[in-house]
Amino acid sequence: MLFRSKNMKFKTSAIALGLAVALAACSKKEEAVAPEAAAPVEQAAPQAVAYVTHQDGPVTIYSLADYTKIGEINVGEGGRGVGLTEDGKLLVVAVKETKDLAIVDTATNQVVRRVPVGINPEFVRVLGNLAFVAYEPASKGGPPPKPGSAEAKAIEKEREEGDELPAQVAIIDLVKGEKIKEITAGFETEGIEFSADGKHIIVTNEADENVSVHDIETGEKIKQIDTESYGIRPRGVKRSPDGEQFVVTLEYGNKMLILDKNYNVINEAATGEVPYGVTYTRDGSEIVVALARGKAIQVFDAKTLELKREMPVGERCWHFSFTPDDTQLIVACGRSNNILVLDYATGNVIKDIPEGNMPWGVMVSPKSVGSLDIPG
């Protein structure tokens, strides 16, 4: 009996061991044929779009694939200056009617915050998480008076007597959603640009006939460049991609000035009638100027300042942007109420989009080079 019991125990152990080995083998076999983990799915790139602001209507959104209108953003009447953060997540618009800056989430195209600025906010530039907005506490609305007119002389007298407040540049922290400081500029500040190191802000003061340079941290004015001897009403200003110079347009001087990186005038050149929006091409080889009265986009050699070609456009085409591949220009023409898409190399019209409400500014996403964009 003892022998049979031991024998039975041995057989039981052997069966158990065999079963364990079989199960292990089966498990290994299952592991060997298990499917590999799926590779991460690549997210589609954000759609390339153009945002167009209007003095009398909403911001309109166009697909850059075929220039179809794909949406609107209601920011209020008088949307003009427009900026975009580097990551493209926030669009900011200066709104005249509400005297504020509308901050838009580009994922939803909804205004997520409004930050009070002041009377007549107009030009906007974005640097990092800060938006710089020029506004005019003394603005009475309407277009500026004709130089030399009785109205212009009366305004000049008020300024000389200290009765009119100069323009301000409000600095808005886009993360906090609040105005954190102001820089006192000249009268009727228009264009805004930054030094290559981001320490200085350069502004054009059209009624003061000067360009002023300020320390962003302290607000202190560190240099003033008088332009009246070259031409009146400085408007657009843009830094070259290499940071070595700046171009400034003189609206009623029909001229552009070139400043070196230390803000000294080093060159000048004639333009067509009433130049405003201006930029360098991405490689810095050309300067592109929009003529409000000349109804053209002019292209100059950035080194020689020789006029290379002109592209006919509509009326009061002040601002424009390149498409991300730099092959086309999107131009907002306020008085002719249309948006033009031009082949940059030939000037041929690719698309003419009728659009009312006085188109003012164009901002392209992903960010490109244009009269409202940071170059380089």
Side-chain angles (χ1 to χ4, degrees):
M1 293 291 294
L2 180 63
F3 171 78
R4 290 184 62 187
S5 176
K6 287 183 178 180
N7 190 40
M8 289 179 64
K9 288 182 180 179
F10 174 77
K11 288 183 177 181
T12 302
S13 299
I15 292 171
L17 179 60
L19 182 60
V21 170
L23 289 172
C26 186
S27 176
K28 287 181 179 180
K29 185 177 179 181
E30 288 179 357
E31 290 178 5
V33 298
E36 295 182 2
V41 178
E42 290 188 10
Q43 297 296 319
Q47 184 176 11
V49 299
Y51 300 97
V52 182
T53 61
H54 301 78
Q55 290 203 127
D56 301 320
V59 176
T60 51
I61 310 170
Y62 286 87
S63 166
L64 295 187
D66 56 7
Y67 295 104
T68 56
K69 183 176 176 180
I70 59 176
E72 292 185 351
I73 305 171
N74 182 19
V75 296
E77 295 293 317
R80 293 178 293 178
V82 58
L84 189 71
T85 53
E86 197 64 36
D87 59 11
K89 293 182 178 180
L90 294 178
L91 184 80
V92 295
V93 183
V95 186
K96 182 178 181 179
E97 181 185 48
T98 47
K99 304 180 181 67
D100 62 8
L101 184 75
I103 302 176
V104 178
D105 182 340
T106 58
T108 62
N109 292 328
Q110 298 296 313
V111 176
V112 293
R113 190 166 292 175
R114 306 194 77 103
V115 182
V117 173
I119 297 173
N120 199 30
E122 187 170 5
F123 206 90
V124 175
R125 292 296 294 274
V126 174
L127 181 64
N129 290 319
L130 300 178
F132 294 73
V133 188
Y135 74 98
E136 302 168 1
S139 176
K140 298 176 177 62
K146 186 177 180 180
S149 66
E151 185 183 357
K153 289 178 180 178
I155 292 174
E156 185 176 351
K157 183 179 179 181
E158 284 183 6
R159 289 168 182 161
E160 290 175 352
E161 294 174 352
D163 294 333
E164 185 174 357
L165 296 173
Q168 303 287 320
V169 177
I171 304 178
I172 311 297
D173 186 314
L174 297 176
V175 176
K176 296 178 180 178
E178 62 185 42
K179 180 163 63 174
I180 58 173
K181 66 172 74 173
E182 293 184 333
I183 294 175
T184 300
F187 291 99
E188 293 185 36
T189 293
E190 292 293 335
I192 296 174
E193 184 55 296
F194 308 107
S195 59
D197 61 8
K199 294 181 179 180
H200 298 161
I201 183 172
I202 302 92
V203 297
T204 55
N205 306 299
E206 64 173 5
D208 261 359
E209 318 295 359
N210 67 47
V211 178
S212 55
V213 184
H214 306 258
D215 184 284
I216 292 177
E217 184 63 31
T218 66
E220 177 186 1
K221 182 164 71 174
I222 58 178
K223 189 156 188 173
Q224 178 173 302
I225 304 96
D226 296 318
T227 64
E228 192 167 8
S229 61
Y230 300 98
I232 62 173
R233 297 185 77 84
R235 292 294 293 255
V237 56
K238 189 56 61 81
R239 186 186 79 239
S240 63
D242 63 7
E244 292 297 309
Q245 61 185 38
F246 300 83
V247 59
V248 175
T249 54
L250 304 179
E251 184 182 29
Y252 288 166
N254 297 334
K255 188 177 290 185
M256 62 180 175
L257 300 180
I258 304 298
L259 314 181
D260 65 19
K261 63 182 179 181
N262 297 314
Y263 317 115
N264 302 305
V265 178
I266 58 173
N267 212 341
E268 60 181 292
T271 68
E273 287 189 275
V274 189
Y276 188 7
V278 62
T279 194
Y280 287 85
T281 52
R282 193 183 305 274
D283 63 4
S285 65
E286 295 179 332
I287 296 173
V288 188
V289 180
L291 305 177
R293 190 173 296 165
K295 300 180 183 179
I297 300 290
Q298 293 186 313
V299 180
F300 295 84
D301 184 287
K303 289 184 178 179
T304 66
L305 301 187
E306 175 188 357
L307 177 62
K308 299 176 70 173
R309 61 185 183 280
E310 287 189 351
M311 310 176 203
V313 292
E315 298 180 20
R316 207 223 68 175
C317 300
W318 279 348
H319 293 297
F320 57 87
S321 279
F322 279 87
T323 51
D325 62 5
D326 298 335
T327 63
Q328 299 171 8
L329 278 181
I330 305 171
V331 188
C333 299
R335 292 295 179 189
S336 52
N337 281 311
N338 65 334
I339 300 164
L340 289 174
V341 182
L342 307 176
D343 182 294
Y344 181 65
T346 66
N348 292 336
V349 176
I350 296 171
K351 195 91 171 179
D352 185 341
I353 307 170
E355 180 152 322
N357 301 319
M358 291 187 67
W360 195 94
V362 181
M363 180 62 62
V364 167
S365 179
K367 289 188 74 172
S368 64
V369 180
S371 60
L372 296 175
D373 304 286
I374 299 175

